[in-house]
Amino acid sequence: MTAGGERKGGRGTGRGRVTVVAKSTAVGVKPVRAGKTHPLSAPDHAMGRHTLHLVYYYRPSPALDRDRLLESLSEVLSYYPAMTGRLTWQHHDPQDETAGAGSGAWVVKCNDAGVRMVDARADATLEEWLRTASDEEEMELAYWEPMGPEPYVWSPYYIQITEFKEKGYGVGVSCTHMHGDPTCVAVFLKAWSDAHRRAVLAHHPFFQPTAFLSPFAALASLFWLRIASASSSSSPAAAAAAVEGEAALTLGVDFRKRMSAPLPMGYYGNAVFFSRARADLSRGWAHAAAELDRHVAELDEGRDVWAHAQWLRARPRDAPFQMYGPELTCVALDHVPAYAAEFEAGVGPAHAAFRIGGAEGEGLIVVAPSPPEAGDAARTVTLTLPSELTAQICRDDHILRYGPAIMFAPPKI
């Protein structure tokens, strides 16, 4: 379990055990066709207030070398022209009735400008880091700079390669959520590792404007109940509301494979569908888990997914709102191929972290895959909660009885 206090975003500071040694730019080995663009969809625009931060940890290996990593990165970036491009605001033609709501929309100009690279060193071995690092320190492995007043010079992607003592590595990717969802970024990392091993790309990117597993339902409902209990213990109003009837949890579901004509796994863009599940938490864990499974099973492509997409399309593209929150939100990412990102054949990451920026409010629960050696039912749960609530959850007896390994918790826990 990864615990995180409420955050406002920002960048790796390099003030602790991580030192930034150099910054550079990585571009693809093949130039992009002149004039190529990638318009962002309505679901992409809806994510404008959020960011993504993925960190993969790799133990020492002869196959891992910074120069080789940069070489294979340039190779795979040739397949991802939108990643190396720059955002530009395209004003709508008032006569174009198909353009959607608002004054315009974001379009990526695929101009080979490249992604920003950060070379860093950590004053710890990988094993020491995994045992002792705090939440804030982990974020120093995923450098990020928000968009400034000149978006055409801003890189929507930052990739940080951090070398630990004894040659372990951290590979951090930070990007705007408008470019894609966590699955999209995880598929890119898998493609990078394929290129590094000179293997065929398992999922080619697909540029064009799923059911939950029961381990997800079990974990989502467990943390839903415990967070609700911890919140109500400090708020009489919340306690009264919890007893009166049904509670609600916002779920984020990847709908790539839930369509009647499924999207390819390599689909580049946002494919997260948000909906509200409800359960009477006073009836216990099993009831809440069953309600989550039932809710997801009953999601309908036409009634729910397409209606949601049309609603997003009708909104102005220049006014993104908060998708993750402000109510308690749980996102299922345990289907993503995080541990298939093998830069050396047969050796995946020692740990993979999935974090979402801009998720302020009641809190965010992310259920992601765990290393294969942990077992098929194991999952990694990342919490972004107000600091006091994080401390309570990390000490919660109902959660601790299952023996979770707590990582990157606030120092006082």
Side-chain angles (χ1 to χ4, degrees), residues 312-324:
L312 290 176
R313 181 175 173 77
R315 294 185 58 87
R317 305 293 170 88
D318 54 355
F321 53 98
Q322 190 165 337
M323 299 292 289
Y324 297 91

Side-chain angles (χ1 to χ4, degrees), residues 229-389:
S229 175
S231 299
S232 64
S233 66
S234 59
S235 169
V243 175
E244 287 178 359
E246 289 187 334
L249 177 68
T250 298
L251 296 181
V253 184
D254 187 308
F255 62 78
R256 282 170 174 79
K257 300 305 179 186
R258 298 190 60 85
M259 312 292 284
S260 55
L263 292 170
M265 191 64 171
Y267 171 75
Y268 184 91
N270 279 284
V272 180
F273 169 68
F274 292 89
S275 61
R276 296 274 274 173
R278 296 184 178 277
D280 183 352
L281 299 188
S282 66
R283 296 179 61 182
W285 183 12
H287 169 75
E291 287 299 292
L292 292 185
D293 270 336
R294 182 189 61 79
H295 174 83
V296 174
E298 292 179 356
L299 290 177
D300 178 79
E301 177 181 345
R303 182 194 66 223
D304 300 312
V305 176
W306 283 115
H308 177 74
Q310 291 300 321
W311 178 75
L312 290 176
R313 181 175 173 77
R315 294 185 58 87
R317 305 293 170 88
D318 54 355
F321 53 98
Q322 190 165 337
M323 299 292 289
Y324 297 91
E327 66 280 347
L328 185 64
T329 304
C330 185
V331 183
L333 298 178
D334 48 349
H335 64 287
V336 302
Y339 291 91
E342 301 174 352
F343 288 95
E344 178 183 2
V347 183
H351 176 66
F354 289 75
R355 296 177 178 273
I356 296 170
E360 300 169 7
E362 291 185 14
L364 175 66
I365 307 166
V366 175
V367 180
S370 286
E373 59 267 23
D376 292 341
R379 298 293 185 270
T380 297
V381 179
T382 300
L383 303 176
T384 302
L385 301 167
S387 299
E388 291 184 4
L389 186 54

Side-chain angles (χ1 to χ4, degrees), residues 37-239:
T37 61
H38 172 66
L40 299 188
S41 68
D44 293 338
H45 282 81
M47 296 297 183
R49 293 181 60 178
H50 300 287
T51 53
L52 297 176
H53 311 275
L54 276 66
V55 182
Y56 285 13
Y57 296 88
Y58 291 91
R59 292 189 170 92
S61 164
L64 286 178
D65 172 82
R66 186 179 185 279
D67 291 337
R68 285 189 58 195
L69 286 170
L70 291 176
E71 180 182 343
S72 57
L73 174 61
S74 291
E75 292 174 7
V76 78
L77 285 176
S78 296
Y79 294 94
Y80 286 84
M83 283 184 63
T84 59
R86 294 295 181 264
L87 285 169
T88 183
W89 185 258
Q90 187 174 80
H91 291 277
H92 285 159
D93 181 347
Q95 305 303 317
D96 184 0
E97 297 181 355
T98 67
S103 62
W106 287 111
V107 174
V108 181
K109 295 186 69 173
C110 304
N111 56 6
D112 285 321
V115 300
R116 296 284 189 254
M117 294 295 303
V118 175
D119 183 19
R121 302 288 184 271
D123 187 20
T125 66
L126 175 59
E127 301 303 331
E128 290 171 345
W129 182 269
L130 292 176
R131 286 197 311 269
T132 64
S134 68
D135 172 62
E136 290 187 355
E137 283 187 306
E138 183 174 56
M139 289 299 291
E140 291 190 16
L141 303 185
Y143 187 92
W144 174 245
E145 290 187 3
M147 183 192 297
E150 300 176 332
Y152 52 87
V153 300
W154 172 73
S155 174
Y157 277 84
Y158 285 81
I159 297 177
Q160 178 172 336
I161 298 176
T162 304
E163 182 180 329
F164 293 93
K165 289 182 176 180
E166 300 180 3
K167 290 294 184 179
Y169 279 92
V171 177
V173 179
S174 292
C175 66
T176 169
H177 206 322
M178 288 197 299
H179 260 258
D181 56 23
T183 302
C184 179
V185 182
V187 168
F188 161 72
L189 281 160
K190 172 66 169 68
W192 183 6
S193 71
D194 289 340
H196 191 81
R197 292 182 288 107
R198 299 293 189 266
V200 176
L201 267 63
H203 306 290
H204 279 264
F206 175 76
F207 296 90
Q208 186 169 310
T210 50
F212 285 74
L213 302 173
S214 45
F216 167 79
L219 285 168
S221 56
L222 172 64
F223 282 92
W224 184 14
L225 264 71
R226 301 318 303 159
I227 290 170
S229 175
S231 299
S232 64
S233 66
S234 59
S235 169

Side-chain angles (χ1 to χ4, degrees), residues 398-409:
H398 291 78
I399 293 173
L400 294 179
R401 71 175 60 172
Y402 298 100
I406 300 180
M407 303 170 63
F408 307 109

